[in-house]
């Protein structure tokens, strides 16, 4: 039996730092989350230069983003088990060390295979880290202050990726694509230092981590990984491969999903801890929130990949121009999240999420009017509109979906909704690539180097319209996030624990 050091326990840290401790804990994990999110988005501005350096086609270059997304998606399922077995600090620091290794390794890599390996390592780390803040907010903060905590946390988290592409674009222009991998290094080092000061060694709820607990559900993880890979490769094969290959892969995804669900039910029936606790979906708000998260992830991450490519290859803008255009939108997003976070403590979350999705859909739809002669301020305004939409969604979706959950399911809920959002995101990146290539072919255009042309821009516009349709579809499920007359629960409100 392992004895946790008293100085690092939740009770000792709370006694040492007093009432402000929960905010210090949130700040500590915010820094690491900033690093993980920056690593997921900043590479997009370097994809054209990286493609040229390694002489990559569009499909191979896309895996720089997709490989990260797949790794993030799958590793999110392990977070509840890691937190229960090793506690907050060991889980968090381990993920930060892996992210640090991926950043340094990617920056030094001389082979595209090593770059992909570094991106997978970064993705695995990001997947473990990203569900943790929602767990802390729902455990450590009272319901009337959870929205404010989500808003402040979200504001801090989005500032890094808001500033990151701008700095990254300049670094790509000045020093080449390798330099962007090193941007996560200072954040990783800072997060590790903060973790040893403020992150407890205990597990969620303040209980001791149980290193002699149940083993990880490797069979469930393997089935989840197989299903994810089959889905993404099946989507790519729908256009770039043969019909039989696409059908086979997508059928494999369906079979793997069915086996995964059956195995999770069996684990639950035998009294063991499943990788994903399916009791979560008995809560209507969580089930509807999961649908919104999947579709929203598809649109969000698909556009995160598509926007820089459109500006650079469609409008012939430099990487530094792309970063500069996105910079004001990032600051607006940070301010919006802080304001909406406070609203989420008083206003229905389904209304806030619906407003956000409507604004996001509008920002995508307006991209069809952008052409070679369009002023840059138009791109800035449309980007700001979309980021205001994101500002309404980000602090509201998790709270609306997870507030009804029993305390014992919070870690599982954060992991599951994050998994579905990232699964949608990974599919979204592939889907945007597929639809863009399809519309390029239909217009007789291509992404090959050369002067831009109206046909190429029209193909991008039609791909943005696909994202508009997805956001409108998510609106239907978002309206179902409204509070149910009665939600299943087994305990009364308890003091904050973390």
């Amino acid at each position: 039996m392992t004895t946790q050091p008293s100085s690092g326990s939740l009770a000792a840290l709370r006694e040492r730092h007093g009432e402000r401790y929960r905010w210090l804990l949130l700040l500590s994990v915010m820094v690491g989350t900033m690093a993980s999110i920056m690593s997921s988005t900043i590479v997009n501005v370097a994809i054209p230069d990286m493609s040229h350096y390694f002489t990559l086609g569009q499909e191979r270059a896309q895996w720089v983003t997709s490989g990260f997304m797949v790794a993030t998606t799958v590793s999110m399922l392990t977070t509840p088990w890691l937190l229960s077995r090793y506690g907050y600090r060991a889980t968090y620091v381990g993920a930060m060390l892996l992210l640090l290794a991926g950043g340094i390794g990617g920056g030094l890599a001389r082979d595209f295979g090593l770059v992909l390996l570094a991106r997978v390592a970064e993705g695995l780390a990001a997947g473990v880290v990203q569900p943790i803040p929602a767990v802390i907010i729902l455990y450590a903060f009272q319901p009337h202050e959870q929205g404010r905590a989500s808003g402040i946390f979200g504001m801090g988290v989005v500032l890094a990726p808001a500033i990151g592409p701008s700095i990254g674009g300049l670094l790509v222009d000045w020093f080449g694509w390798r330099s962007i991998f090193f941007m996560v290094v200072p954040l990783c080092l800072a997060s590790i230092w903060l973790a040893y000061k403020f992150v407890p060694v205990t597990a969620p709820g303040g209980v001791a981590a149980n290193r002699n607990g149940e083993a990880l559900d490797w069979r469930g993880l393997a089935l989840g990984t197989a299903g994810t890979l089959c889905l993404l490769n099946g989507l790519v094969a729908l256009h770039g491969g043969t019909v039989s290959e696409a059908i086979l892969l997508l059928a494999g995804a369906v079979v793997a999903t069915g086996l995964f669900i059956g195995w999770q039910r069996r684990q639950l029936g035998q009294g063991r801890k499943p990788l994903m606790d399916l009791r979560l979906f008995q809560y209507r708000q969580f089930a509807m929130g999961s649908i919104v998260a999947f579709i929203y992830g598809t649109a969000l991450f698909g556009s995160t990949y598509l926007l820089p490519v459109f500006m650079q290859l469609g409008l012939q803008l430099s990487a530094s121009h792309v970063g500069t255009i996105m910079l004001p939108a990032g600051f607006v997003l940070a301010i919006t999240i802080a304001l909406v976070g406070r609203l989420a403590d008083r206003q229905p979350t389904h209304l806030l999420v619906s407003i956000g999705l409507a604004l996001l859909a509008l920002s995508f739809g307006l991209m069809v009017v952008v052409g070679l002669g369009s002023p840059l301020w138009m791109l800035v305004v449309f980007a700001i509109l979309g980021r205001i939409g994101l500002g309404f969604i980000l602090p509201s979706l998790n709270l609306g979906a997870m507030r009804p959950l029993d305390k014992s399911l919070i870690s599982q809920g954060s992991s599951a909704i994050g998994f579905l959002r990232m699964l949608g995101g990974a599919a979204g990146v592939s889907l945007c690539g597929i639809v863009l290539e399809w519309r390029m072919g239909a217009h007789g255009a291509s992404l090959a180097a050369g002067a831009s042309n109206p046909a190429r821009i029209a193909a991008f516009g039609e791909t943005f319209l696909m994202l508009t349709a997805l956001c409108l579809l998510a609106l239907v499920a978002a309206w179902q996030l409204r509070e149910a007359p009665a939600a299943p629960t087994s305990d009364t409100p308890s003091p904050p624990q973390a």
Side-chain angles (χ1 to χ4, degrees):
M1 180 175 177
T2 303
T3 302
Q4 301 288 359
S6 59
S7 61
S9 68
L10 175 63
L13 289 170
R14 186 185 289 130
E15 182 179 353
R16 184 182 310 150
H17 300 288
E19 185 66 19
R20 62 179 181 150
Y21 172 66
R22 64 190 189 280
W23 294 103
L24 294 172
L25 173 58
L26 192 61
L27 170 66
S28 301
V29 297
M30 181 174 74
V31 174
T33 309
M34 287 165 64
S36 70
I37 293 176
M38 180 180 287
S39 68
S40 72
T41 58
I42 196 172
V43 170
N44 292 325
V45 298
I47 285 179
D49 278 24
M50 200 181 300
S51 300
H52 181 263
Y53 181 88
F54 290 112
T55 61
L56 305 174
Q58 180 69 16
E59 288 186 9
R60 287 193 71 201
Q62 183 182 311
W63 271 101
V64 173
T65 301
S66 297
F68 180 97
M69 299 286 287
V70 171
T72 302
T73 303
V74 172
S75 65
M76 275 187 175
L77 293 174
T78 66
T79 301
W81 179 82
L82 288 169
L83 290 176
S84 174
R85 190 176 180 93
Y86 298 105
Y88 281 117
R89 184 184 295 176
T91 300
Y92 182 73
V93 170
M96 286 296 99
L97 289 172
L98 184 59
L99 185 63
L100 179 64
I104 295 173
L108 297 176
R110 297 287 174 181
D111 179 79
F112 182 65
L114 294 177
V115 172
L116 278 183
L117 183 62
R119 290 293 288 161
V120 169
E122 289 183 321
L124 290 173
V128 170
V129 166
Q130 290 183 22
I132 293 177
V135 176
I136 289 174
I137 288 171
L138 288 166
Y139 265 111
F141 293 85
Q142 296 286 5
H144 68 274
E145 58 184 7
Q146 288 170 355
R148 183 161 64 101
S150 296
I152 292 173
F153 172 81
M155 180 179 66
V157 165
V158 301
L159 279 176
I163 299 170
S166 299
I167 300 173
L170 293 173
L171 289 175
V172 169
D173 286 346
W174 293 344
F175 304 110
W177 61 268
R178 295 181 183 280
S179 58
I180 60 151
F181 277 92
F182 296 111
M183 283 191 66
V184 301
V185 172
L187 286 174
C188 287
L189 294 176
S191 68
I192 292 170
W193 178 76
L194 287 168
Y196 279 100
K197 284 182 67 70
F198 302 118
V199 177
V201 296
T202 45
V207 300
N210 181 12
R211 302 209 174 189
N212 297 317
E214 292 184 22
L216 180 65
D217 180 10
W218 289 105
R219 186 177 300 182
L221 187 61
L223 289 171
T225 303
T228 301
L229 289 173
C230 284
L231 173 63
L232 299 182
N233 284 289
L235 288 172
V236 173
L238 276 175
H239 187 65
T242 63
V243 175
S244 58
E245 180 186 7
I247 292 175
L248 186 63
L249 286 168
L250 292 175
V254 172
V255 170
T257 301
L259 291 173
F260 177 81
I261 293 172
W263 177 251
Q264 297 309 291
R265 284 179 173 172
R266 181 178 174 183
Q267 293 286 91
L268 204 58
Q270 293 177 345
R272 305 185 65 183
K273 290 185 178 179
L275 200 63
M276 181 186 290
D277 197 323
L278 299 179
R279 291 176 298 175
L280 291 165
F281 300 97
Q282 296 174 2
Y283 296 78
R284 180 179 62 82
Q285 285 169 263
F286 184 86
M288 293 298 103
S290 297
I291 295 172
V292 174
F294 181 85
I295 301 175
Y296 158 73
T298 303
L300 172 62
F301 288 98
S303 68
T304 301
Y305 163 76
L306 190 64
L307 272 170
V309 176
F310 169 58
M311 292 183 193
Q312 289 180 273
L313 300 183
L315 302 180
Q316 300 292 292
L317 299 175
S318 67
S320 55
H321 265 101
V322 173
T324 303
I325 288 169
M326 298 303 295
L327 184 59
F331 285 113
V332 170
L333 173 59
I335 295 169
T336 305
I337 286 179
L339 296 175
V340 173
R342 291 180 177 272
L343 286 177
D345 287 328
R346 303 188 302 271
Q347 301 297 326
T349 51
H350 76 279
L351 181 61
L352 299 176
V353 173
S354 297
I355 291 172
L357 286 169
L359 292 174
L360 195 59
L362 180 61
S363 72
F364 291 146
L366 289 172
M367 292 301 293
V368 300
V369 306
V370 176
L372 287 174
S374 300
L376 290 183
W377 65 260
M378 185 181 291
L379 282 170
V380 174
V381 169
F382 293 168
I384 287 175
L385 183 64
R387 291 308 183 260
I388 292 174
L390 289 181
F392 272 84
I393 298 169
L394 289 173
S396 311
L397 180 56
N398 274 8
L399 291 179
M402 293 174 56
R403 269 176 175 164
L405 296 181
D406 184 272
K407 285 282 188 183
S408 64
L409 292 174
I410 286 176
S411 293
Q412 281 278 352
S414 181
S415 171
I417 204 165
F419 168 77
L420 292 169
R421 184 184 68 249
M422 293 302 296
L423 182 62
V429 173
S430 296
L431 188 61
C432 281
I434 294 164
V435 173
L436 179 59
E437 192 175 342
W438 166 45
R439 298 318 300 160
M440 287 284 184
H443 287 283
S446 73
L447 289 177
S452 185
N453 57 74
R456 178 187 291 184
I457 292 176
F460 273 106
E462 290 165 6
T463 309
F464 279 114
L465 285 178
M466 180 268 296
L467 294 176
T468 302
L470 286 175
C471 288
L472 295 176
L473 182 62
L475 262 173
V476 178
W479 202 250
Q480 299 302 314
L481 277 171
R482 61 186 184 275
E483 291 187 10
T489 182
S490 65
D491 55 30
T492 55
S494 56
Q497 290 297 319

